[in-house]
Amino acid sequence: MTLYRTHTCGELNINNNGEDVLLSGWINKKRNHGNLLFVDLRDTYGITQCVIDNKNNLFKKIEKIPLETVAQFQGRVVTREKDTINKELKSGEIEIKITNFKILGKTKELPLPVFSDQEYSEEIRLKYRFLDLRRSKIHENINLRSKVISFIRKEMEGFGFLEYQTPILTSSSPEGARDFLVPSRLNPGKFYALPQAPQQFKQLIMVSGFDKYFQIAPCFRDEDARADRSPGEFYQLDIEMSFVEQKDVFTVVEKLLNNIFKKFSSKKILNEKFPQITFSDSMLKYGSDKPDLRNPLEICDLTEIFSRTDVKFEIFKKLVKEGSLVRAIVTKKTKNKPRSFFDNIDRWAKEEGSNGLAYLTFENEENKISGKGPIGKFFSSDACKEIMKKSKAENGDSIFFSCGNKKDVEKLLSLARDKIARDLDLIDENIFAFCWIVDYPMYEIDEKSGQIKFSHNPFSMPQGDLNKLNLNKPLDIKAYQYDIVCNGVELSSGAIRNHIPELMYKLFAIAGYNKQSVDEKFSGMINALSYGAPPHGGIAPGIDRIIMLLAGEKNIREITMFPLNQNAQDLMMNAPSNVEDNRLKELNINIIKKK
RNA sequence: GGGGGUGUAGCUCAGUUGGUUAGAGCGAUCGCCUGUCACGCGAUAGGUCGCGGGUUCGAGUCCCGUCACUCCCGCCA
């Protein structure tokens, strides 16, 4: 009971029959019958129908109240007649007979209707986010987010982790994404950076002797947006543990994610013990390091087939001779699919910028296997049998080939796996398919410069006997680096860290950083590691993406209360904005005007 | 930085081959209606067809440019 209400709009039911109550909320909807007026009053807890007839002299005033006005209604709870019960509402068995009312907050004419299932442009939704957030779907999503985060905190504390906060103003790091920079007034010409992740801090927390760290950590990266990637800021469940190896991290995170997804979704978890797939296997079988394991299609390598003399498909044979490879996807029992099914996929592949996908179907005619389709005639029966053996295809199955360099083939077939599976409706939307991707290479070749660079986190521990590590073959070195993927979404990335400074210097040297530059750029951490650092490791699941999966949303703005738009602007608050010249002067900053 | 999509009433959209006065639903305003819950019925107001230029007797429609939003590629250790 407050000045404004005795109950919320979601809690009254048949047990309150006869009570005098006071409700406050927004006018969700009015239904005016001239002599009888229904008003749906809404708050975050629900909707309660209030009713008044024209014998009451308040009728004339209440019928004029615009939708989304904040109002207070006083009245008596009455049960509804049987045939007027609304089963859609928690309060649907009762209604409030209005005896008095008060306007608490007026509204101007609405730029977007709140009570509607219509879709609205992002522009209007973001500009009037406070109205958009009143709408039920996104309102629920935001509350889901709150509950999930609260649950995560309880779980982590249950696992013995403590939440420690780390700085928001820190130093710029040379690796990785662009930093957001913050000029320092007290240190003219120098800049702070917002943390891309609390990576170094969480390791420093371990060196400081705190054993199990977690944080719902804001992360800032000045990179371009995607539907599932906010520009600017996002949140990670940042985790770090001392005295652990990879499997110890896996145990904690599998338990946590199983608990979260079971509690907040009715969808089935395909494997509660997450399968572990090596990076190289994943790239071969799925063409990607974030495979959607709901999709049963797999990719296989058939390059060798195209060196056979009884294969006459000259375009591919020529490319293979020049170093291209051929990989393929088999679709089961697609013998009777119409020509358009195959041609659509080929056309789609061309639209993706490739040379298309060659295809054929295996058929058995007079006890002889042969390839049907435009390129079927180029393959002998024996060659077909060999392809079927290698690709595990059977009579009546079809196969789509892609030929090109490794990267292009992987990329196209990764997309094709998804495209074909959707065309054939092979993906069960009611499951969560988690997996670990493990054994990432420590280094890769930078395509532009041709130089060796860290493929992921430079602070990861290389695998194998550290005394026998062959630093001359850096591309062969694997790291204790791992990702979690769920339904094709990269959920998190983590590693066992390198806590040995001498080894760190050697590994950085391979990527072109001498000791001096490592000392300079990672001074905080490299110094700390020299004073008794425990073996440690961790991971950082993305909070936003977890919520997206739970809410079944494809766009991160649907689960973010006040998101930036794709151009990293806040249309409601007008950020970023110009600042006054004297503020810039104070910061020793000049704006260079573009022509 | 590059490519695709969209832009018409407050909101969501339709608008034919370039042809009369640009329409609908919701919302707003006014009127009618006693059991609705997407209430119903009638009327009224509401338009720089994103913006600029061009082609044409004539442009919402075609062309060029530009802006905004969005999706993708690059980017995101």
Side-chain angles (χ1 to χ4, degrees), chain A residues 578-589:
Chain A
N578 296 321
V579 296
E580 288 170 21
D581 283 348
N582 56 8
R583 293 285 293 124
L584 291 175
K585 239 175 236 165
E586 206 170 34
L587 295 166
N588 286 278
I589 286 181

Side-chain angles (χ1 to χ4, degrees), chain A residues 461-523:
Chain A
M461 185 65 104
Q463 293 188 13
D465 187 335
L466 297 181
N467 297 316
K468 294 179 188 160
L469 209 56
N470 187 351
L471 299 177
N472 296 320
K473 285 189 167 178
L475 294 176
D476 291 348
I477 301 174
K478 303 227 180 315
Y480 284 116
Q481 163 87 42
Y482 35 84
D483 277 11
I484 295 176
V485 174
C486 179
N487 294 2
V489 175
E490 186 190 317
L491 266 196
S492 55
S493 177
I496 296 300
R497 320 299 174 186
N498 182 349
H499 67 286
I500 305 164
E502 304 82 62
L503 178 59
M504 186 100 77
Y505 286 125
K506 285 184 196 165
L507 295 171
F508 267 98
I510 292 170
Y513 296 88
N514 61 27
K515 183 171 186 298
Q516 194 195 336
S517 71
V518 174
D519 284 341
E520 232 171 70
K521 283 164 178 155
F522 306 103
S523 61

Side-chain angles (χ1 to χ4, degrees), chain A residues 298-522:
Chain A
E298 288 186 5
I299 299 165
C300 61
D301 193 295
L302 296 172
T303 310
E304 282 175 28
I305 298 283
F306 291 84
S307 331
R308 291 170 62 117
T309 51
D310 58 347
V311 171
K312 310 283 189 195
F313 193 33
E314 297 301 334
I315 310 167
F316 276 26
K317 293 188 77 158
K318 181 164 172 276
L319 287 168
V320 166
K321 219 174 256 175
E322 290 165 358
S324 288
L325 43 77
V326 179
R327 289 184 179 172
I329 294 174
V330 170
T331 56
K332 309 301 287 179
K333 298 190 176 85
T334 37
K335 178 175 79 167
N336 295 323
K337 285 276 168 193
R339 177 74 184 251
S340 61
F341 163 75
F342 298 96
D343 287 347
N344 276 340
I345 289 167
D346 184 43
R347 188 177 348 112
W348 163 86
K350 284 176 176 137
E351 281 164 10
E352 287 293 320
S354 75
N355 295 321
L357 285 169
Y359 64 87
L360 58 82
T361 296
F362 300 109
E363 291 194 27
N364 196 343
E365 277 179 346
E366 296 159 12
N367 288 327
K368 198 163 167 255
I369 289 286
S370 66
K372 297 288 174 204
I375 64 161
K377 58 176 183 273
F378 298 120
F379 298 83
S380 72
S381 188
D382 281 348
C384 285
K385 276 184 201 152
E386 185 62 18
I387 293 172
M388 290 168 75
K389 197 173 137 198
K390 288 205 165 196
S391 64
K392 293 177 196 142
E394 292 168 315
N395 185 23
D397 295 350
S398 311
I399 186 162
F400 292 85
F401 301 95
S402 171
C403 179
N405 73 47
K406 186 163 179 279
K407 221 165 178 171
D408 291 344
V409 168
E410 281 171 348
K411 188 158 189 187
L412 179 68
L413 288 183
S414 165
L415 293 169
R417 248 186 104 239
D418 194 54
K419 159 76 179 162
I420 296 170
R422 288 189 189 281
D423 283 1
L424 292 172
D425 200 20
L426 299 176
I427 293 176
D428 183 348
E429 294 288 345
N430 279 312
I431 55 178
F432 290 119
F434 288 95
C435 64
W436 292 100
I437 306 296
V438 297
D439 300 349
Y440 276 84
M442 190 86 203
Y443 300 99
E444 63 188 12
I445 301 275
D446 186 276
E447 280 196 358
K448 281 179 215 147
S449 64
Q451 299 199 316
I452 289 188
K453 62 168 193 176
F454 288 106
S455 68
H456 275 74
N457 187 326
F459 307 124
S460 301
M461 185 65 104
Q463 293 188 13
D465 187 335
L466 297 181
N467 297 316
K468 294 179 188 160
L469 209 56
N470 187 351
L471 299 177
N472 296 320
K473 285 189 167 178
L475 294 176
D476 291 348
I477 301 174
K478 303 227 180 315
Y480 284 116
Q481 163 87 42
Y482 35 84
D483 277 11
I484 295 176
V485 174
C486 179
N487 294 2
V489 175
E490 186 190 317
L491 266 196
S492 55
S493 177
I496 296 300
R497 320 299 174 186
N498 182 349
H499 67 286
I500 305 164
E502 304 82 62
L503 178 59
M504 186 100 77
Y505 286 125
K506 285 184 196 165
L507 295 171
F508 267 98
I510 292 170
Y513 296 88
N514 61 27
K515 183 171 186 298
Q516 194 195 336
S517 71
V518 174
D519 284 341
E520 232 171 70
K521 283 164 178 155
F522 306 103

